[in-house]
Amino acid sequence: MNMCRTRNLWFVLALLLVGGVSGCATSKAGGNGALATALSPRWEASGIRVVKISPAVGRQMLDLRYRITDVEQAGRVLKQTTPISLVDQVSGTTLPVPDLAKVGKLRSIPNKEDAGRLFWVFFNNSAGVVKPGNKVTLMIGNVAIRDIVVE
């Protein structure tokens, strides 16, 4: 791995730790009602509702936030080993979840008692393929949530 990429990954890790991303995974559903009511129902499938997706870390990553609306359905789909990716609908480019050697994948994994909480996943957008206004498809295993607009 070249020095620039290593430095970028450490920078991302530092931002996540300083920014308190892990605290976002523990916020209750009632804490952000404006996002929940402004949500499009088409951004939901298999008990997973996408709240938003926006650029992060100088647009080198995309920050996806989601809630669990049905614990049983989501439990069948969201597992530690379930592959998650984001597909840009214009270019067809698939963006992976970064997997850092010491931290692991940059995503929070819900437990059975976590319904209604806000969870996060980061996607590598270092090539800058996905820009605000683009439509993307979230792939979680064999489940696809389409037409999510990047903020």
Side-chain angles (χ1 to χ4, degrees):
M1 186 181 304
N2 67 28
M3 185 60 125
C4 242
R5 185 175 170 126
T6 303
R7 192 173 350 157
N8 284 344
L9 290 175
W10 280 110
F11 177 73
V12 169
L13 177 60
L15 281 176
L16 292 174
L17 293 174
V18 172
V21 170
S22 61
C24 292
T26 59
S27 65
K28 291 290 183 186
N32 203 351
L35 281 176
T37 56
L39 205 96
S40 170
R42 70 174 184 253
W43 291 1
E44 184 171 352
S46 295
I48 301 162
R49 176 182 295 163
V50 174
V51 174
K52 73 172 189 167
I53 185 165
S54 57
V57 192
R59 294 189 179 180
Q60 291 195 5
M61 293 204 168
L62 294 175
D63 177 6
L64 177 112
R65 303 296 167 123
Y66 68 94
R67 291 190 193 282
I68 301 301
T69 57
D70 185 324
V71 177
E72 283 186 38
Q73 284 186 8
R76 288 185 220 122
V77 177
L78 281 172
K79 296 179 181 156
Q80 189 76 26
T81 57
T82 304
I84 298 178
S85 61
L86 200 65
V87 179
D88 180 42
Q89 292 181 358
V90 174
S91 67
T93 304
T94 300
L95 305 178
V97 175
D99 192 358
L100 304 178
K102 293 189 179 190
V103 180
K105 293 192 180 219
L106 295 181
R107 68 186 234 193
S108 57
I109 305 291
N111 294 320
K112 289 186 178 184
E113 60 275 350
D114 287 340
R117 292 187 179 181
L118 188 64
F119 297 93
W120 53 268
V121 180
F122 280 87
F123 295 95
N124 187 0
N125 189 33
S126 59
V129 174
V130 179
K131 296 174 178 43
N134 284 23
K135 285 187 177 181
V136 294
T137 299
L138 175 64
M139 297 298 300
I140 304 172
N142 62 357
V143 174
I145 303 175
R146 293 177 173 78
D147 298 327
I148 305 166
V149 180
V150 178
E151 291 183 357

